[in-house]
Amino acid sequence: MNHQVSSPMSVTMDRPSGRVLVTGALGQIGTELVEALRQKHGHEAVIATDIRKAEGCQILDVMNKKEIHKLVTEQEITEIYHLAALLSATGEKNPELCWDINVIGLENVIAAAKKNNARLFSPSSIAVFGPDCPNIAPQITPLNPSTVYGRTKVVGEQLAMTSGIDMRGIRYPGLISYKAPAGGGTTDYAVEIFHHALKNGYYECFVREDTKLPMMYMDDAIRATIELMDFPLEKLSESRGGYNISGCSFTVGELVKSIQRHLPDFICTYNPDIRQTYADSWPDEIEDDIAKKEWGWSPRFDLDRIVDEMIINLEN
Ligand code: NAD
Ligand code: AKB
């Protein structure tokens, strides 16, 4: 991957030897990752797929093993970003479907990658940690999640090390972005709050004011993903199935205060639901010394900068 070929286009584009496939491309991450990959490799080299229909995106259900094989073989796919999944809130409402899509779907993609010698990026999550994890989560610690969603992510990390392919992942924190809505997770409040603040000046939050979780701006997450995939495999350790990366951690109360710098009349009230228990089972902060040391990870966005970017972009 990523070698320069001697065509005029290669002056600005880093062309993969084959094509790049993105599953779940219409989601919160896919919307921005496809854009970034197309900028890097050229529009034609990146095939966006999802179970939903949209312009510029092919239909591909990751439960359909035969179709995945066909597409990966016919399109000469050499790199896959597998984003199709159910997130924590949707997943806990339908645990069997969550297991099927997140684990069987991943196994289907791994099988196709293996047959075609493709590299694979498959995201993990801070949901791999459970209530026994220290408040500041180390990279290496027992993984005993209390959610089915978290368990599917632990299996994903294990498959990265046992599947025999070049497979990598990141334990993404809650991701904050403005281009696409958050897709049914516990950390969705940190995205929804901006839309409600700007539209109504009011938000009823489904977790408590003192709930503190690791969060990250989407630009940092996309850059981390591409930087990790660009790094030589032999320089990565056994953490490659799911690297801890830290952006910033804050409580909802701190987020509200930061938004009030722009919108002083904004009011947030609190009405915790079942998602509070998922949030309570996850760590407050993430220790990312291994990602920093191994492949040079470094975040760029703190809380106030995220809030400034969100408000400016949603207002326009
Ligand atoms: P999302 O819910 O926004 O997008 C997932 C996409 O997958 C959707 O567009 C959906 O239509 C598609 N999909 C669902 N079932 C499918 C199927 N059977 N076949 C094909 N496509 C299907 O999720 P996201 O936020 O973009 O997350 C992508 C990945 O990153 C997931 O693995 C998620 O667990 C992980 N992650 C996300 C966050 C976050 O805060 N967004 C944090 C940690 C980890
Ligand atoms: C969720 O809340 O489910 C996701 C995640 C942290 O994995 N945003």
Side-chain angles (χ1 to χ4, degrees):
M1 280 312 285
N2 304 325
H3 64 272
Q4 301 278 323
V5 292
S6 55
S7 74
M9 293 292 283
S10 68
V11 176
T12 52
M13 281 180 186
D14 189 6
R15 284 216 173 274
S17 52
R19 288 195 175 87
V20 177
L21 169 67
V22 182
T23 71
L26 297 176
Q28 191 193 5
I29 300 176
T31 300
E32 302 204 29
L33 185 63
V34 167
E35 227 176 78
L37 290 170
R38 283 184 170 156
Q39 231 164 41
K40 182 171 156 66
H41 299 299
H43 194 276
E44 300 305 318
V46 180
I47 299 175
T49 68
D50 200 286
I51 199 167
R52 294 183 280 152
K53 209 172 165 183
E55 212 187 309
C57 184
Q58 294 184 27
I59 296 276
L60 180 69
D61 179 352
V62 296
M63 300 309 290
N64 191 334
K65 198 171 177 174
K66 218 168 128 192
E67 280 301 310
I68 302 171
H69 271 279
K70 190 164 171 258
L71 196 146
V72 170
T73 309
E74 285 180 2
Q75 296 294 329
E76 298 178 351
I77 301 291
T78 52
E79 192 166 281
I80 305 173
Y81 293 80
H82 174 52
L83 306 178
L86 289 194
L87 273 65
S88 58
T90 316
E92 298 314 293
K93 278 189 202 150
N94 200 338
E96 282 175 20
L97 185 64
C98 181
W99 188 269
D100 284 353
I101 294 178
N102 294 12
V103 176
I104 315 278
L106 173 58
E107 285 173 339
N108 290 342
V109 171
I110 289 174
K114 201 167 190 171
K115 201 161 166 223
N116 292 276
N117 204 19
R119 307 161 70 225
L120 174 59
F121 177 83
S122 180
S124 186
S125 160
I126 53 163
V128 292
F129 302 112
D132 60 342
C133 175
N135 269 346
I136 304 177
Q139 173 72 49
I140 297 163
T141 190
L143 301 178
N144 296 307
S146 53
T147 58
V148 172
Y149 172 67
R151 290 201 284 280
T152 68
K153 292 297 174 186
V154 173
V155 172
E157 290 193 11
Q158 288 162 348
L159 285 169
M161 299 316 300
T162 57
S163 60
I165 61 168
D166 176 352
M167 178 172 162
R168 309 166 186 201
I170 285 173
R171 291 172 180 159
Y172 289 132
L175 300 180
I176 302 178
S177 66
Y178 63 91
K179 290 189 183 166
T186 301
T187 59
D188 289 15
Y189 66 84
V191 178
E192 288 174 5
I193 194 167
F194 290 97
H195 294 271
H196 289 257
L198 283 164
K199 199 168 164 210
N200 318 313
Y202 169 71
Y203 181 60
E204 183 179 272
C205 186
F206 56 76
V207 296
R208 285 188 318 267
E209 184 175 9
D210 64 352
T211 304
K212 184 175 183 184
L213 284 175
M215 297 282 179
M216 179 173 286
Y217 194 51
M218 189 61 85
D219 289 30
D220 269 347
I222 298 294
R223 186 172 49 81
T225 305
I226 291 175
E227 284 176 4
L228 173 61
M229 286 303 276
D230 278 350
F231 216 75
L233 178 66
E234 62 278 9
K235 294 194 175 158
L236 302 176
S237 70
E238 295 213 336
S239 297
R240 76 172 150 87
Y243 280 104
N244 279 9
I245 61 167
S246 176
C248 52
S249 284
F250 47 82
T251 65
V252 190
E254 288 164 343
L255 174 59
V256 169
K257 280 207 178 76
S258 184
I259 293 173
Q260 284 168 338
R261 290 178 302 120
H262 295 266
L263 305 166
D265 297 332
F266 171 55
I267 291 170
C268 186
T269 59
Y270 301 89
N271 187 12
D273 64 20
I274 185 71
R275 290 169 282 189
Q276 182 71 56
T277 58
Y278 314 148
D280 288 344
S281 74
W282 298 344
D284 294 354
E285 291 176 44
I286 292 286
E287 211 173 83
D288 59 359
D289 48 326
I290 293 189
K292 282 180 166 145
K293 202 169 111 200
E294 281 186 19
W295 49 278
W297 160 246
S298 172
R300 290 183 185 160
F301 288 82
D302 63 11
L303 171 59
D304 284 347
R305 190 163 171 218
I306 293 175
V307 170
D308 296 348
E309 291 282 323
M310 287 294 286
I311 303 265
I312 289 164
N313 284 296
L314 287 174
E315 265 178 340
N316 292 324

